[in-house]
């Protein structure tokens, strides 16, 4: 599976962004999809994930109620809608794919290249 993440940018605190991740190569609908982020000097951390069948996503406590993960299997794309952004959300955001989802980055086999999100105060 090849993944291409895009949609990052610079936004003021309280603003919104929507990240997209386009997948190709294998049957997208067979894979769980996830979003992770990595701030400078910090480890990569789990943000959100969704199983291959969709439904409700799972979220890190730090983004619950503000971020929403969704997927469109017809477009082979997963989204991360980010609202009420905070400066601490600043990071490079990565999408990932695997057969099942986990909050541990090491459990995911396929990664996109990352897109920078910067939230100014």
């Amino acid at each position: 599976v090849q993944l291409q993440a895009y949609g990052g940018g610079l936004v003021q605190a309280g603003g919104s962004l929507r990240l997209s991740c386009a997948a190709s190569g294998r049957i997208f609908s067979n894979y769980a999809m996830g979003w992770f982020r990595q701030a400078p000097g910090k480890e990569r951390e789990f943000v959100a994930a969704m199983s291959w069948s969709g439904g409700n996503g799972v979220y890190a406590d730090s983004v619950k109620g503000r971020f929403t993960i969704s997927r469109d299997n017809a477009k082979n794309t997963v989204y991360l809608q980010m609202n009420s952004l905070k400066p601490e959300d600043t990071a490079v955001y990565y999408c990932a794919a695997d057969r099942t989802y986990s909050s541990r980055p090491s459990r995911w086999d396929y990664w996109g290249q990352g897109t920078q999100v910067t939230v100014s105060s």
Side-chain angles (χ1 to χ4, degrees):
V1 177
Q2 290 80 46
L3 304 173
Q4 178 78 27
Y6 55 96
L10 173 64
V11 63
Q12 288 189 332
S16 298
L17 279 176
R18 187 175 82 156
L19 305 184
S20 301
C21 176
S24 62
R26 296 198 177 186
I27 302 174
F28 175 77
S29 59
N30 288 348
Y31 286 80
M33 298 298 297
W35 288 96
F36 291 77
R37 66 187 182 187
Q38 189 166 17
K42 295 188 176 181
E43 294 186 351
R44 192 168 297 189
E45 66 174 4
F46 172 75
V47 175
M50 177 171 277
S51 70
W52 65 269
S53 60
N56 294 327
V58 293
Y59 300 91
D61 288 343
S62 58
V63 306
K64 202 171 293 183
R66 300 188 297 122
F67 291 10
T68 303
I69 187 171
S70 62
R71 63 188 297 162
D72 185 337
N73 286 347
K75 295 183 178 180
N76 287 357
T77 301
V78 63
Y79 305 97
L80 185 68
Q81 178 66 43
M82 305 185 295
N83 299 329
S84 302
L85 282 161
K86 304 175 180 179
E88 51 263 43
D89 294 319
T90 295
V92 177
Y93 283 71
Y94 298 88
C95 59
D98 208 306
R99 292 289 186 175
T100 60
Y101 64 78
S102 168
S103 63
R104 295 166 56 185
S106 61
R107 296 291 300 273
W108 294 76
D109 280 347
Y110 304 100
W111 291 88
Q113 85 290 358
T115 184
Q116 176 71 47
V117 172
T118 303
V119 184
S120 63
S121 57

